[in-house]
Each structure stands twice: as structure tokens, then as C-alpha cells.
Amino acid sequence: MGTHDEERERWQEHYHRSAERDVDFETLSGEPLKALYTPEDTADLDYERDLGYPGHYPFTRGVYHTMYRGRLWTMRQFAGFGTPRETNARYKFLLKQGQGGLSVAFDMPTLMGRDSDDPLSEGEVGRCGVATDSLADFEQLFDEIPLADITTSMTISGPAVILFAFFLAAAERQGADWKVLDGTLQTDILKEYIAQKEWIFPPRPHLRLIGDLIEFCATEVPKFHPISVSGYHIREAGSTAAQELAFTLADGFSYVELGQDRGLDIDHFSQGLSFFFNAHIDFFEEVAKYRAARRIWARWLRDHYGAKEVESWRLRFHTQTAGVSLTAQQPENNIVRTAIEALAAVLGGTQSLHTNALDEVLALPTEKAAQIALRTQQILAHETGVTNVIDPLGGSYFVESMTDRMEAAAEEYFAKIKEMGKGSMLEGMLVGIERGYFQSEIADAAFREQTRYEKGRLVRVGVNEFVDPTEPPIDTLIIAPETEESQIGAVRQMRSERDGEGATAALERLKAAAQTDENLMLPLVDCARAYCTEGEIVGALREVFGEYQETPRF
């Protein structure tokens, strides 16, 4: 046996004499990969500084001391379609199958702040999620589901504060104390301007609403996470893994600065922030992304923002498998893709997980497809053994090297954003949105990936390779036209039966409060209690705040 250097040189000589396959050896994000990773790739690694122990700074190996040996992640399947009554039945089905928490998917009119009978809602009511117009719908949505005893996630940003007011009023109707309510509201409006495009008001007044929400939850609904900083949609829009990581954490830092600008104690409100990441198909790149995210957040909260409590340094996150990785062709292959993506999320240390159904690229999931998606998580949890050891990939030369590279790429973006904001991450995000910086970065990344597919340098099984032109179609969930008619009838009947003068008075009170510095959450809850509709509340605020128009870019 020779020395280490001699052995390495001997291997390299043999390797270079051998033929390589004609493929691009790089990550899905386009990062080049070496053939082999060795101790040299982690020569600068300091165990205590860079890894540490689970539950201890810098949390690279996990945010809790026991991780899945103590408690499994929450299996939180995203669900919602048709009317509140139909979705309520689906929730009860999923809870009976062993799901641990609710995750509400809203339809497009709801996401855009419109009522079901708005002319612009035509054809979209109940299609991509559940239609909700008022407190009446929330009462039906959670009928016989005690909100005090279950965690509830709501994936909505533009009108998030309004839907949260409906949620609080519904919990109140059930007799639940707000202080015991647990769950997550997405609310991340910055990523809407960057990627998802479901906005209502201009950025600065919308941040006022988010500041009100953060302040309100810190005292009145302390167990609820008022913001789930969402990288998922940034990745779905075409970003790289590093861009998802950087832009998501920069969003999170912006909300920290928003809270500090309000004079709030960082160790009080920052613990209510959580994150939402994508689990894409490039397994090791995804694991490295999650590990880097924890380490970056811990360091920035402690060293940049002065948080003193350990709990403030923990980055807790939900994960959803990548919708953009699913294919309409040979959709059964999506079960395999989803399982691999879910495994990356688990080995990356997620706190909760949604696994996409095989048919989601075609329609909302059928009950059978939703059950298979949930069973995928249960098999990972109970049959594979991956929950027995904390961070089993920790110490891998490849994984640690990838984690470092991911962190370094994110830090480069942070420096650019702070420069745009003249030292402020929040201002840098706003300036970047106004300039189209983030949108351009994501568009360029999406173009590069699509070009690789079209040149055949990236393989999509069943799409550009291993194609089966004779495959039969699969059964999908059909949302009947009667659903829209039913929901429109319900909201109009509710308006005719409510106390009209009380609803009008609540809306006028909200408009008056919006023109002052008053926290708007209680006036919003009063509107919910008066059975004002989402569209009416949005309309009242729009009169004060205006409506966002994206700057055209050529």
C-alpha cells in the first residue's frame, strides 16, 4: 500500500483511462460534481462550529435533540376542493387514515381575494382548492373537527390576514381559546411578488398588515406561526436550489427586520416564524439545502440580529415534494419520484411533510391517490429504518461539501440584496422586487434547465426518454359545474340572511382603522364575526391601500 497521495493518484490514473457515460455530471441546478469526494473536500470542516449536535447550535444536524427518535414529523397532507362541505369530508377521511394535521388548499378566487360570485371567479370556483367566502364557510369547513386539538396550516398569502380572521372567529364559535390554537399561516407576501404572483395590495402597505399580524399573534395567539416563509413557490417557478435557499432566508430576515422595526422583542416574535421548502428530485442537493438553511438561520439570528434564546435560532420547516417534477405521462412514475423526494426531506430533518399524489399534475387528487401519497410517508416512517439514526448522512464528504457550497452561494446572494437595500435586507428585498431582480434570476435559471431538457442533457423518464405512446389515461377527480353554482348560491344566501347594517358598520370601522396606525387584526375579526365576505373586506382595504400593478419589463 502506498501513501494516501499515491493511492489517490493511482485511482485517478485508472479513472481517466476508463470511459465516462455521455452525460452532464452536475446537479439539477447545474452545479458541476466531481467523481469522488474525499477528506480533502471537508478539510476546513470544524465539527463543533459547523455541525455540532442535534438540538444545539448551529443545528446543522437537526433542531431537536432526539429528532425522529422522539417524535416523527407531522404528516400534513395539503387538501381542499369544491365546497367546504366536500373538503370537510376529505379531512375526516385523511384524519381517519392517520394524518396528523390539516393543511388547507384554497381555490384561486380565494387566493386572489375574490368572492365566488365575482365575475372574475367564473370557472375557477372550487377547482384548485376549496372555495371559502366568509365565516359561514369556515364553520362548515371545520365542522366536527376541534380546532383546539389539531394543528392547522393554511396556504395563502395575499388575503392571509382575512382568512386568519375567519379561522379565529370559527375557533371562537367552537368555544376554543385563541391561546391554544396551533398551526401555521403562510402570509409570505414577498415570495408572491417574486414568484407566485397572487398579490392584492402594493408591497409596503401589505407589509403593514403582516406587521400587525406578527404583533397580534405574539400576544393573542402565541402558539400559532403567523408566517411560513415559503421557498416552495420560488422553486416551482424555476429557481435553483441555492436561489430557493437564499431568497427564502432573505425573506425570513426581512420579516425579522419588520418585527424589529415595530419595536418587538426578537426573542418573542421570531419564534413564530417557520419555513416551507420544496423537496425536489436531486436527492443530495436537497439534503444539503436543508442542512445549510438551519446553519445559516441560526448564525444570522444570533450574530446579525442579536437573538439570545436558543429557541429563536431554530429553523423549523415544512416540506412539500416538488409539483414541477411530476409528469402527466406515465403518472404512476410520480409515486417513485415523490417517495425519493420525501426521503430527502426526512433525511434533511423536516418537521412536517406533504407528499404529492400521482395525479396532481392532471387534477386534484382522487381519494385513492391521496391515500397512496399518505402511505408513502407512513412506509418511510415505519418500514425503512431511516428514522432510527439522527442525520445519518452527516459526515459524508459529499454531503458536507454540498452543504458548504450551498451556504456560500446563499451568502453571495445575501450580500447583493443588502447592497441594494443599503444595509437593510428588508429594503433590499423591496428594491429587488421593484427592479425585477429576483424574477430575472429565477427566469434565467428556469431557461437554463429547460434548455438542458430540450437538448437531451436532462432526462425525464416517460417524457423525453422511455416514452410509451400507447399508455391509457387514468381516472381523475372531476369538479362538477354544480359545485360553482352551489357555492355562489350559498354566499348570496348568506349575504341576504346576515345583519346587513352590522356588516356595513364593520367594514366602515375597518376602513377607518386602516387610515391610522391601529393594529387591524381585531377590526378584521369583527368583520368576520359580522359575516362580511372576503371580497368585501379586500374591497374595503383596497380603497385605502390601492392595488399592486407589476412594473412591465422588456
Side-chain angles (χ1 to χ4, degrees):
M1 294 290 291
T3 65
H4 172 73
D5 289 341
E6 290 171 341
E7 288 297 314
R8 182 186 61 199
E9 289 175 8
R10 187 179 304 167
W11 169 76
Q12 287 176 333
E13 183 180 329
H14 284 290
Y15 180 84
H16 290 305
R17 285 206 304 259
S18 304
E20 284 186 338
R21 291 180 293 119
D22 181 22
V23 299
D24 297 330
F25 293 104
E26 53 189 46
T27 69
L28 181 64
S29 298
E31 293 294 320
L33 297 172
K34 299 196 299 185
L36 186 72
Y37 287 75
T38 69
E40 293 176 357
D41 295 290
T42 56
D44 295 330
L45 184 74
D46 181 298
Y47 186 87
E48 298 294 336
R49 181 195 67 204
D50 301 323
L51 292 179
Y53 292 90
H56 290 262
Y57 183 90
F59 305 102
T60 311
R61 309 203 69 182
V63 288
Y64 298 121
H65 299 98
T66 57
M67 288 303 288
Y68 305 138
R69 285 175 69 113
R71 180 178 180 272
L72 292 172
W73 65 91
T74 301
M75 299 178 193
R76 190 188 301 281
Q77 291 299 100
F78 190 44
F81 66 95
T83 64
R85 190 180 303 281
E86 290 171 300
T87 297
N88 176 264
R90 175 65 65 89
Y91 288 160
K92 289 173 180 173
F93 168 79
L94 288 169
L95 291 169
K96 189 175 180 181
Q97 296 298 314
Q99 177 169 298
L102 299 180
S103 183
V104 185
F106 296 101
D107 71 354
M108 188 56 70
T110 303
L111 293 170
M112 298 301 295
R114 300 180 184 127
D115 289 340
S116 295
D117 60 348
D118 187 310
L120 291 175
S121 300
E122 185 176 356
E124 293 293 337
V125 176
R127 294 276 173 184
C128 68
V130 61
T132 57
D133 294 299
S134 71
L135 171 59
D137 291 322
F138 267 64
E139 290 172 323
Q140 196 169 80
L141 185 64
F142 298 113
D143 183 44
E144 297 181 339
I145 299 175
L147 294 175
D149 300 333
I150 194 165
T151 61
T152 306
S153 171
M154 290 178 280
T155 303
I156 192 161
S157 291
V161 291
I162 299 167
L163 275 289
F164 190 54
F166 293 162
F167 177 81
L168 292 176
E172 190 175 66
R173 292 281 194 273
Q174 291 185 358
D177 184 342
W178 287 353
K179 287 189 164 48
V180 306
L181 298 177
D182 194 355
T184 304
L185 190 65
Q186 189 166 100
T187 322
D188 182 5
I189 198 60
L190 293 175
K191 63 89 178 172
E192 296 293 344
Y193 302 116
I194 290 170
Q196 200 175 14
K197 314 295 187 182
E198 291 167 358
W199 56 62
I200 301 172
F201 315 115
R204 295 177 194 274
H206 208 123
L207 286 171
R208 178 256 176 100
L209 290 172
I210 293 175
D212 287 353
L213 177 69
I214 292 172
E215 199 170 344
F216 179 80
C217 283
T219 56
E220 303 302 320
V221 202
K223 293 179 69 176
F224 215 90
H225 297 86
I227 301 178
S228 175
V229 189
S230 177
Y232 183 84
H233 308 93
I234 292 171
R235 193 66 179 282
E236 293 286 290
S239 80
T240 65
Q243 288 170 342
E244 178 196 354
L245 172 66
F247 299 164
T248 306
L249 292 184
D251 275 5
F253 298 145
S254 298
Y255 295 126
V256 168
E257 292 181 9
L258 178 65
Q260 287 184 316
D261 289 346
R262 288 279 183 122
L264 300 176
D265 178 4
I266 188 170
D267 283 309
H268 191 190
F269 77 85
S270 68
Q271 296 172 21
L273 299 176
S274 66
F275 288 80
F276 175 22
F277 286 114
N278 197 295
H280 220 304
I281 194 67
D282 192 317
F283 183 82
F284 291 104
E285 185 173 50
E286 296 303 288
V287 172
K289 179 183 71 182
Y290 307 131
R291 299 171 86 251
R294 283 193 292 270
R295 191 158 72 199
I296 293 168
W297 184 256
R299 186 178 66 254
W300 275 67
L301 264 287
R302 187 187 73 171
D303 299 344
H304 287 257
Y305 293 114
K308 295 181 172 54
E309 294 184 14
V310 172
E311 193 64 23
S312 304
W313 308 337
R314 300 182 202 269
L315 182 146
R316 295 170 294 269
F317 68 99
H318 171 72
T319 314
Q320 180 174 339
T321 56
V324 292
S325 73
L326 305 182
T327 64
Q329 301 90 336
Q330 302 176 28
E332 291 87 353
N333 295 341
N334 294 331
I335 299 173
V336 181
R337 294 184 178 102
T338 293
I340 292 167
E341 292 163 358
L343 180 60
V346 169
L347 292 182
T350 193
Q351 275 61 68
S352 66
L353 178 61
H354 164 90
T355 33
N356 289 329
L358 68 97
D359 54 359
E360 284 192 57
V361 72
L362 298 165
L364 293 173
T366 62
E367 265 195 9
K368 182 65 175 175
Q371 184 184 56
I372 292 170
L374 179 58
R375 292 288 183 260
T376 300
Q377 294 200 48
Q378 291 165 338
I379 289 168
L380 283 177
H382 301 291
E383 295 188 21
T384 63
V386 298
T387 58
N388 293 338
V389 174
I390 302 169
D391 189 31
L393 296 179
S396 156
Y397 304 131
F398 178 38
V399 171
E400 297 302 349
S401 176
M402 284 284 290
T403 302
D404 288 347
R405 283 172 64 180
M406 197 74 69
E407 182 176 11
E411 289 289 347
E412 288 182 18
Y413 272 118
F414 298 154
K416 291 176 186 175
I417 297 166
K418 287 196 75 173
E419 184 180 359
M420 285 191 285
K422 298 186 169 137
S424 163
M425 190 72 80
L426 174 57
E427 190 63 28
M429 290 299 295
L430 292 170
V431 170
I433 288 166
E434 290 162 1
R435 292 180 183 174
Y437 170 73
F438 304 105
Q439 299 92 318
S440 296
E441 288 289 296
I442 294 169
D444 288 346
F447 179 77
R448 286 193 299 271
E449 182 178 322
Q450 184 63 28
T451 301
R452 291 167 69 200
Y453 274 119
E454 291 179 4
K455 289 181 177 179
R457 306 308 294 177
L458 280 177
V459 171
R460 184 72 63 89
V461 173
V463 180
N464 63 353
E465 290 285 351
F466 315 108
V467 177
D468 179 5
T470 64
E471 62 172 313
I474 63 169
D475 293 332
T476 57
L477 181 69
I478 303 296
I479 305 297
E482 294 78 25
T483 296
E484 185 161 327
E485 296 167 11
S486 170
Q487 185 65 19
I488 289 173
V491 69
R492 288 176 175 171
Q493 182 178 351
M494 184 278 298
R495 282 201 204 98
S496 69
E497 294 176 349
R498 72 185 179 187
D499 175 1
E501 290 183 3
T504 299
L507 292 169
E508 289 300 320
R509 163 89 175 90
L510 175 65
K511 277 196 287 188
Q515 295 173 65
T516 70
D517 292 332
E518 181 182 347
N519 189 301
L520 296 182
M521 283 310 303
L522 283 178
L524 284 166
V525 174
D526 285 340
C527 285
R529 290 166 176 153
Y531 290 90
C532 299
T533 67
E534 178 187 10
E536 291 169 338
I537 298 170
V538 165
L541 292 175
R542 191 185 282 119
E543 289 184 34
V544 180
F545 295 153
E547 187 167 18
Y548 180 64
Q549 298 291 330
E550 188 173 28
T551 305
R553 293 176 183 86
F554 303 99

